[in-house]
Amino acid sequence: MEGAVKTMPEHAARPRALEAATMCEAFQLTAAERPDQVALRTIADGVSITFAEYAERVRRLAAGLHALGIRPGDTVGLLLTNRPEFHLVDTAAMHLGATPFSVYNTSSAEQIAYLLGDAENRVFVVEAAFLECARDAISQGGRVEHLVVLDATAEDSLTLEELELAEPGPDFDFEASWRAVQPQDLLTLIYTSGTTGPPKGVQLTHANEIAQCRGIDAVSHPRPGGSIISFLPHAHIADRGLSHYAQMTWGHTVTCCPDVTQVFAHVADVRPTFFGGVPRIWEKLKAALEAGIEAEPDQPKADATRQAIELGLRKVRLEQQGEPAPDQLREACERAEQAVFSKIRERLGLERCELYFIGAAPCPLEVLEFFAAIGIPICEVWGMSEITSVGTIVPPENLRLGTVGPPLPGVETRLAEDGELLIRGATVMAGYRNQPEKTAETIDADGWLHTGDIAVLDEAGFLKIIDRKKELIINAAGKNMSPANIEQQLKQGSPLIGQAIAIGDGRPYNVALIVLDPDASGPFAQQHGLADASPEAMAREPAVIDEVRAGVERANSHLSRVEQIKRFKVLANDWPAAGDELTPTMKLKRKPISSKYAAEIEALYAGA
């Protein structure tokens, strides 16, 4: 498909920051090369900070943190939404040889208290909106001595402005401080989302992140000086790696998006050159585009758009099968690119985008095909916090949809006898904080990190992730199944199905709990004359149940008999990100779900 990737100009020279020994050096090189370029901003330039200003504020904040007693090896906690101040404080702490870490802002006081105790940070930087929760957490444990509060003044705390003005003392030498940081020093802690117990603190070094950036550059060649959006939680490795540290390497302008529901308003404002997101982001965008086509009052225009997409899909599917597109189809797709697809991308704000990534969870193949058809070729990646984010990536010039690509340069992979993916290389973490036994369980004596993911390797050396090793369904007859595959089919079965969890471990058949998609519920209610589109009301409506049942039947038609869903329950509530049921990146918390909805699950097996 002709589009942004195939028509982009030659890439600029390789960034000097890739030769840096630490992320401190990478930042200093990039800031010196791009002093007048905007480094950090908010939508519509509400805030705009150049690299020169960024570097100067880092120097002042580092001095302030030093005045509070922060020294090499200390930790600094941050509880912030996506905003420029995160980058300023985190980077300042890094330049002292300290280890900054972020806390999910949806965390409870009890959860935060656990992290404060494990990290033992004496400085905690929080937004005023989270101050009461932070105070509650501090009262429960840890050793926080200094609270820095943004957006307000509070008793026994500092403002960010006061921190910047603090005098560090005559022994402080900023230049010597950051130059003393070594590649094996800790760069950050990434606390896992705790789907299987208390979160573990993944310890990542400067050398880990430098290796990660070099590997990504070798495969995807991000354009230096591009524009990106930071919208995933800072506590997640994807945001830290692909926005915060990536900026230090490639000199991007980062626009901070504090509310993920507003991400595409930010896309329209930024016109990014690189954009990535979790599958749910792309699924919702696909649904919105399709709904827009259906609602188009100009019927000939809507029909032309549908026809163009169908042509694009035919071409993509032929290419994925290794077959050349006939000249007539290729020429028709070139006309569709000019008349339809380029305009869709421009309307979205993606006309400048050169790289599209997707990761963190499985993505339905039809979503990847749809976007490839309209000139948005998404490179699927696989990774985890323990390997500094990305371990494998589909090369932009060699899309193999449904795979996560080969390993990055410098990364070794192999499959264990049971199919578990093992990985080794310079991006593998230094270990879990305060948990040597968990580290030994995860990284064996030969340096192989046991990922817990079951994978297969295709003939081209591209990996395909099947499911989590511990999450495979083994039914009463001993049949192994991937719940993720079943759940993908369910979500494709009907636009009303927003989330689904397949259950059947040790059971005679599979059942599902289904949550309605709030974005699809409103239009469905309007179309069917329903007065109330709330989850509680919709879950009782016969028309809704009939549509979900039809969706389940469509899903079952793509599944083997043993995988099929025999019974389902539509729940009368939503599952928000970072709630009881989903992690911040929309992964299912299977054990908590099974516990919370035990009665509903047992009812589905009553009489079995």
Side-chain angles (χ1 to χ4, degrees):
M1 176 61 60
E2 294 295 319
V5 169
K6 289 190 177 181
T7 59
M8 66 183 178
E10 291 298 316
H11 293 288
R14 189 169 185 259
R16 285 181 61 207
L18 287 170
E19 305 306 319
T22 68
M23 292 310 299
C24 301
E25 184 183 3
F27 173 80
Q28 292 296 328
L29 286 169
T30 297
E33 288 177 349
R34 302 175 178 274
D36 299 324
Q37 180 190 316
V38 173
L40 304 170
R41 67 185 292 273
T42 58
I43 194 168
D45 290 319
V47 174
S48 183
I49 300 170
T50 67
F51 271 103
E53 293 167 335
Y54 186 179
E56 175 56 23
R57 293 191 68 182
V58 162
R59 186 192 65 76
R60 295 202 305 263
L61 285 165
L65 289 170
H66 188 276
L68 296 184
I70 297 300
R71 300 293 185 269
D74 289 340
T75 52
V76 175
L78 299 97
L79 179 55
L80 306 172
T81 55
N82 298 58
R83 54 189 295 165
E85 292 88 346
F86 157 77
H87 301 275
L88 299 173
V89 176
D90 186 286
T91 306
M94 177 184 82
H95 276 69
L96 293 174
T99 306
F101 70 97
S102 287
V103 178
Y104 286 110
N105 56 43
T106 52
S107 301
S108 67
E110 182 181 6
Q111 291 169 326
I112 296 171
Y114 175 85
L115 302 187
L116 300 182
D118 189 67
E120 298 183 297
N121 55 300
R122 291 184 296 113
V123 174
F124 198 19
V125 184
V126 306
E127 278 183 39
F130 312 127
L131 179 57
E132 290 309 310
C133 185
R135 287 196 186 282
D136 190 0
I138 291 169
S139 71
Q140 295 181 40
R143 50 189 292 243
V144 173
E145 299 171 5
H146 303 286
L147 195 58
V148 180
V149 180
L150 277 61
D151 306 326
T153 57
E155 187 180 351
D156 300 326
S157 69
L158 293 169
T159 64
L160 192 67
E161 293 76 14
E162 289 170 331
L163 182 63
E164 285 194 64
L165 294 173
E167 291 294 334
D171 62 326
F172 178 64
D173 183 331
F174 178 70
E175 183 86 7
S177 175
W178 72 258
R179 289 191 181 278
V181 176
Q182 298 298 306
Q184 296 309 317
D185 289 344
L186 291 186
L187 172 66
T188 191
L189 297 173
I190 300 293
Y191 279 97
T192 61
S193 51
T195 58
T196 57
K200 299 184 288 289
V202 175
Q203 301 179 117
L204 299 178
T205 67
H206 288 258
N208 287 150
E209 185 59 42
I210 291 289
Q212 171 82 166
C213 291
R214 289 171 181 167
I216 290 174
D217 188 80
V219 176
S220 55
H221 317 293
R223 176 180 299 283
S227 296
I228 59 177
I229 303 167
S230 167
F231 65 92
L232 291 174
H234 292 315
H236 195 278
I237 185 58
D239 181 82
R240 272 193 177 262
L242 298 179
S243 70
H244 184 50
Y245 299 132
Q247 181 198 46
M248 299 178 191
T249 303
W250 290 286
H252 300 318
T253 295
V254 173
T255 299
C256 303
C257 173
D259 180 358
V260 68
T261 65
Q262 298 302 307
V263 65
F264 282 103
H266 283 68
V267 168
D269 174 74
V270 172
R271 308 286 169 176
T273 57
F274 163 88
F275 184 73
V278 297
R280 194 63 183 144
I281 294 286
W282 293 106
E283 291 169 12
K284 283 182 171 292
L285 180 57
K286 175 177 179 287
L289 289 172
E290 291 174 330
I293 295 168
E294 290 301 314
E296 171 60 57
D298 184 340
Q299 196 58 47
K301 181 179 179 181
D303 290 341
T305 302
R306 292 190 195 94
Q307 183 180 21
I309 293 172
E310 185 55 41
L311 289 169
L313 285 170
R314 284 172 53 197
K315 182 173 182 289
V316 166
R317 287 166 181 162
L318 283 172
E319 290 170 344
Q320 289 298 300
Q321 293 165 11
E323 300 176 18
D327 289 344
Q328 187 176 5
L329 175 59
R330 180 176 53 77
E331 291 166 2
C333 285
E334 289 173 358
R335 291 192 295 272
E337 161 62 21
Q338 296 300 317
V340 179
F341 303 146
S342 63
K343 292 179 172 56
I344 291 176
R345 294 196 302 274
E346 184 175 4
R347 191 164 66 248
L348 291 173
L350 293 173
E351 74 274 13
R352 294 198 309 146
C353 201
E354 299 172 355
L355 283 172
Y356 303 91
F357 283 178
I358 192 169
C363 182
L365 181 61
E366 69 166 17
V367 172
L368 298 171
E369 289 179 335
F370 175 88
F371 284 107
I374 65 173
I376 298 178
I378 307 173
C379 300
E380 199 161 2
V381 307
W382 169 88
M384 56 196 305
S385 302
E386 288 85 345
I387 59 166
T388 324
S389 189
V390 176
T392 73
I393 180 172
V394 175
E397 70 279 2
N398 186 18
L399 282 186
R400 292 178 73 89
L401 303 181
T403 79
V404 295
L408 293 178
V411 172
E412 297 178 77
T413 58
R414 69 180 179 88
L415 300 180
E417 289 186 7
D418 62 358
E420 182 180 8
L421 177 61
L422 309 184
I423 193 163
R424 184 168 66 179
T427 60
V428 172
M429 66 174 178
Y432 294 119
R433 184 175 180 85
N434 300 325
Q435 297 193 54
E437 71 291 343
K438 292 287 186 183
T439 302
E441 288 174 12
T442 305
I443 304 174
D444 65 28
D446 295 321
W448 289 102
L449 185 141
H450 294 241
T451 68
D453 282 332
I454 300 298
V456 294
L457 199 63
D458 72 9
E459 67 282 357
F462 283 47
L463 286 160
K464 182 174 183 178
I465 305 298
I466 304 302
D467 213 327
R468 293 291 294 166
K469 182 177 178 179
K470 293 181 180 179
E471 293 176 357
L472 291 175
I473 292 173
I474 306 176
N475 70 6
K479 172 66 176 177
N480 285 24
M481 292 167 276
S482 164
N485 178 57
I486 297 169
E487 290 149 5
Q488 282 188 48
Q489 294 296 339
L490 286 169
K491 289 196 288 184
Q492 291 179 55
S494 168
L496 264 187
I497 300 177
Q499 293 290 344
I501 182 169
I503 295 156
D505 199 48
R507 305 281 194 164
Y509 54 83
N510 290 339
V511 301
L513 300 178
I514 289 172
V515 175
L516 301 176
D517 189 319
D519 292 336
S521 293
F524 184 91
Q526 186 175 16
Q527 182 182 356
H528 290 79
L530 307 179
D532 188 349
S534 68
E536 298 83 0
M538 294 283 282
R540 296 191 299 267
E541 287 290 345
V544 172
I545 303 303
D546 287 346
E547 169 58 24
V548 172
R549 181 178 292 108
V552 172
E553 290 172 358
R554 285 190 283 269
N556 282 341
S557 71
H558 297 285
L559 298 169
S560 67
R561 187 171 59 83
V562 72
E563 292 175 308
Q564 292 174 0
I565 298 298
K566 303 302 181 187
R567 302 182 70 184
F568 66 89
K569 169 73 173 179
V570 177
L571 300 178
N573 58 291
D574 190 17
W575 286 357
D580 292 342
E581 299 88 1
L582 301 177
T583 71
T585 52
M586 310 293 280
K587 293 179 184 176
L588 294 168
K589 297 181 180 179
R590 296 185 185 276
K591 288 185 179 179
I593 291 171
S594 295
S595 176
K596 182 174 181 177
Y597 299 96
E600 289 85 348
I601 293 168
E602 290 307 319
L604 291 171
Y605 285 107

